[in-house]
Amino acid sequence: MTDTITLSDGIRIALRRSARARRMTLRVPRAGGEPVLTLPVRVSLNEGRAFAEMQAEWLRRARSKQVPPQKVCLGVILPVEGRLLQLTPFPIRRTRVEGDRLLLPEGRQTAPIVQAYLKHLAAERLRRACDGYASALGRNYRALALRDTRSRWGSCTSDGRLMFSWRLAMAPPRVLEYVAAHEVAHLLHMDHSPRFWARVETLMPGYRAEREWLRDHGNELLAWSFRD
């Protein structure tokens, strides 16, 4: 069982000890759940509590932005490429969009089918976007993988491996394209220097609106649970 502490204003915080941690950190999961306080092994509980109390105002603001978990099931309205679609069973073999509905094969588990559809959509869209941006950059990436990450929407390794969250398939298309441009730009600049952001602007002019959308609404995508 995870240890918890309760602050003076009633906020409960999950406590985690880490031999690798060099400093105290406080994190509020964007998709809901208790804040997590990570302490290095040699830091006392009282020190950790005092650190968390100092962050109480920040904690309240961060928690106000959390979105309650939402379960993927028949009948719910789910964002797909920025469109709100109702999950609807239908006598078909393959999932497809029809009007304002996402039609799903009857008699099969809902969440795995929807998740597979989103993964396929994300892979197709991200591959196309990354190929285009890499070509414009004159650089090739080594591989492209999808994960269900909670702390970042994409990443690029020094040897050119790109990774993305498949949940980007739920975001508006230009948001997905921004994340692709962002990670492809790292093929030239493995930092977030002014040169890096200038490169992102070259690949995707006006990217800031999409970046802001992700900051404002990304937690809504993370709130969806794909467990039946």
Side-chain angles (χ1 to χ4, degrees):
M1 179 180 294
T2 303
D3 292 331
T4 62
I5 60 174
T6 303
L7 302 187
S8 57
D9 60 359
I11 297 177
R12 285 171 53 89
I13 297 177
L15 183 63
R16 176 175 172 266
R17 291 280 183 179
S18 172
R20 296 190 298 174
R22 297 189 176 184
R23 59 187 178 86
M24 292 181 284
T25 60
L26 191 57
R27 181 177 64 87
V28 176
R30 288 187 291 179
E34 293 180 338
V36 179
L37 174 63
T38 300
L39 301 180
V41 174
R42 295 185 180 180
V43 172
S44 70
L45 181 58
N46 286 337
E47 289 177 288
R49 183 186 298 275
F51 172 76
E53 292 282 6
M54 291 175 60
Q55 306 296 322
E57 181 58 32
W58 174 82
L59 273 174
R60 282 190 288 272
R61 290 198 304 269
R63 291 180 72 210
S64 70
K65 298 178 181 178
Q66 287 182 308
V67 178
Q70 301 187 69
K71 186 176 178 61
V72 172
C73 59
L74 293 178
V76 303
I77 307 297
L78 181 79
V80 178
E81 294 195 299
R83 298 173 56 192
L84 296 178
L85 304 178
Q86 185 175 40
L87 304 186
T88 307
F90 209 71
I92 54 176
R93 285 189 168 186
R94 298 183 63 182
T95 303
R96 72 170 187 262
V97 175
E98 187 172 290
D100 60 357
R101 298 180 299 170
L102 183 63
L103 303 182
L104 309 172
E106 289 180 331
R108 299 176 65 180
Q109 290 184 305
T110 303
I113 289 294
V114 176
Q115 182 174 324
Y117 176 78
L118 292 174
K119 285 183 176 181
H120 175 78
L121 195 61
E124 184 178 80
R125 302 292 191 263
L126 285 164
R127 177 80 60 185
R128 184 167 60 196
C130 289
D131 285 352
Y133 290 135
S135 177
L137 204 62
R139 290 290 183 94
N140 293 322
Y141 57 90
R142 187 172 180 180
L144 190 156
L146 298 178
R147 300 283 187 274
D148 191 11
T149 52
R150 317 302 290 180
S151 60
R152 59 177 61 186
W153 296 105
S155 64
C156 175
T157 64
S158 58
D159 64 348
R161 297 177 184 273
L162 305 178
M163 184 282 298
F164 298 96
S165 167
W166 54 261
R167 290 175 183 261
L168 287 168
M170 292 189 281
R174 276 187 58 85
V175 172
L176 177 148
E177 290 163 12
Y178 155 66
V179 179
H182 183 118
E183 300 309 331
V184 168
H186 278 312
L187 295 173
L188 276 184
H189 307 290
M190 290 297 293
D191 55 27
H192 289 100
S193 64
R195 289 191 308 164
F196 166 80
W197 290 112
R199 186 66 63 178
V200 177
E201 178 68 30
T202 299
L203 293 174
M204 187 179 184
Y207 71 86
R208 289 173 180 80
E210 284 65 44
R211 185 185 181 196
E212 288 301 316
W213 189 97
L214 208 49
R215 286 179 173 177
D216 293 340
H217 301 285
N219 55 344
E220 298 168 14
L221 308 185
L222 294 172
W224 287 97
S225 171
F226 288 83
R227 295 180 180 177
D228 270 328

